[in-house]
Amino acid sequence: MTDLGRPALNLERVRKFVAVAEELHFGRAAERLHIAQPVLSRQIRALEQELKVQLFVRDRRRTELTAAGEQLLADARPLLAGADALRLRVGRAARGQHSFTVGFMPGLIVTAAVRALSERHPDLAVNVVRTSWDDQIEVVHDGRVDVSYIRLPVDQSGLTVRPLLSEPRVAVLPVEHRLAGKESIAIADLADEHLLQHPDAVPEWRDIATELRDGTRSPVGPFHAVEEKLENVATGRGISILPLSTATFYTRPDIAHVPVRDIPPCQVCLAWGAGRRSPLIREFAALAEL
């Protein structure tokens, strides 16, 4: 029971709800969960009774989320990830693994704060994990890291996010490109280029891009690492916009980077689970701000 006298939310039912909400089909969700469809239907009805709301609208042709279902789906993913992360941390503690793990994006140097925490707590194993644009928040939610250095924008639901610094963004170009070697450029200078990332990542380019206006944009990626993106830049398949620290970290002779003077800088923050109250997290956050 909760402190208000109400039963705690049944997380297993919530997990089954997420499967149905993602599939929008009870049969496929049941196959995914390896349970019988009638069992799944009973679990969803029990969850609706527990919450006193209708989560799905069903007919013979389709299954759709109600407004309440949409809200539960938005809240359920971080809730379930937090529960999984809790189990992971408790398991580590039970095995005597006293550790603290820091995630970091490529180009960001976290050595000073990691070293300072290690010196303050000699018996603590302070580990680091390299992340990417795809999983920089996922590693926080699923408990792989205690804190993570992230680059905005991200979905901040279920997170505490503390700003650390901002840095310029640069255009990364083949070394023989017509703009390579310039002191700086405007985003308009890149209107005719092929961008090797999602247009929403650079809305200033998206709004003026010739290939978007003409409908000639070809598929991009997916790129799972900066190195993959840089290989495509070097071979002349397009250009990319990166934070300055990332571009300088991956210096190579066949690529140049040029500051783009009229786009906002990249914001670097420290993030951790909103429900975490660990003194070590607060201590590390203070060290990261130094």
Side-chain angles (χ1 to χ4, degrees):
M1 301 289 284
T2 69
D3 58 356
L4 296 177
R6 294 190 300 269
L9 188 63
N10 187 309
L11 292 184
E12 288 309 309
R13 289 175 183 164
V14 174
R15 290 185 193 280
K16 292 178 173 63
F17 159 79
V18 170
V20 178
E22 291 178 345
E23 298 289 345
L24 289 178
H25 191 283
F26 275 72
R28 289 195 298 268
E31 290 178 6
R32 170 173 153 183
L33 295 167
H34 305 292
I35 61 175
Q37 183 173 334
V39 173
L40 178 58
S41 296
R42 287 196 296 272
Q43 290 288 303
I44 297 302
R45 283 197 300 272
L47 180 60
E48 290 177 324
Q49 292 168 1
E50 182 180 350
L51 295 173
K52 296 180 173 55
V53 297
Q54 183 178 357
L55 299 172
F56 295 99
V57 176
R58 301 173 65 183
D59 59 29
R60 292 183 178 180
R61 291 180 296 179
R62 64 181 183 273
T63 298
E64 294 182 348
L65 285 165
T66 63
E70 293 278 5
Q71 184 62 59
L72 179 57
L73 181 59
D75 292 334
R77 288 173 173 137
L79 174 67
L80 294 174
D84 291 340
L86 175 62
R87 292 189 185 96
L88 182 62
R89 291 192 296 270
V90 170
R92 286 173 180 164
R95 295 189 295 273
Q97 297 174 345
H98 188 41
S99 63
F100 188 87
T101 304
V102 179
F104 67 98
M105 287 283 283
L108 297 178
I109 306 300
V110 302
T111 310
V114 168
R115 180 179 293 160
L117 190 69
S118 298
E119 291 173 350
R120 291 186 179 195
H121 301 275
D123 296 330
L124 179 68
V126 185
N127 306 310
V128 294
V129 172
R130 179 187 181 276
T131 63
S132 70
W133 282 107
D134 295 330
D135 68 358
Q136 60 173 333
I137 292 307
E138 181 182 329
V139 295
V140 178
H141 287 311
D142 66 19
R144 278 178 281 169
V145 305
D146 294 282
V147 299
S148 187
Y149 286 77
I150 64 170
R151 298 187 191 276
L152 299 184
V154 299
D155 179 358
Q156 299 185 26
S157 302
L159 299 174
T160 296
V161 176
R162 181 170 297 181
L164 294 178
L165 59 95
S166 63
E167 58 176 320
R169 290 191 290 169
V170 299
V172 182
L173 316 162
V175 71
E176 69 275 6
H177 193 279
R178 60 186 173 83
L179 299 174
K182 287 188 174 292
E183 184 175 339
S184 68
I185 60 174
I187 194 66
D189 295 325
L190 302 172
D192 294 333
E193 302 293 334
H194 178 54
L195 186 71
L196 295 172
Q197 58 206 101
H198 196 286
D200 288 348
V202 192
E204 299 82 4
W205 176 88
R206 177 196 62 201
D207 295 341
I208 62 170
T210 302
E211 64 179 29
L212 292 178
R213 186 175 64 248
D214 296 345
T216 57
R217 181 169 170 81
S218 55
V220 172
F223 303 121
H224 301 293
V226 176
E227 293 90 340
E228 294 177 15
K229 190 177 294 183
L230 295 182
E231 280 296 328
N232 281 272
V233 171
T235 55
R237 294 177 179 170
I239 60 100
S240 187
I241 304 294
L242 295 178
L244 176 60
S245 63
T246 304
T248 55
F249 186 81
Y250 289 95
T251 299
R252 45 188 288 177
D254 51 358
I255 287 178
H257 63 265
V258 182
V260 185
R261 56 180 177 266
D262 54 352
I263 60 174
C266 175
Q267 301 294 324
V268 177
C269 301
L270 190 70
W272 60 91
R276 301 289 305 277
R277 298 292 182 267
S278 165
L280 281 175
I281 289 179
R282 294 196 299 271
E283 185 175 356
F284 186 86
L287 292 170
E289 291 180 319
L290 296 178

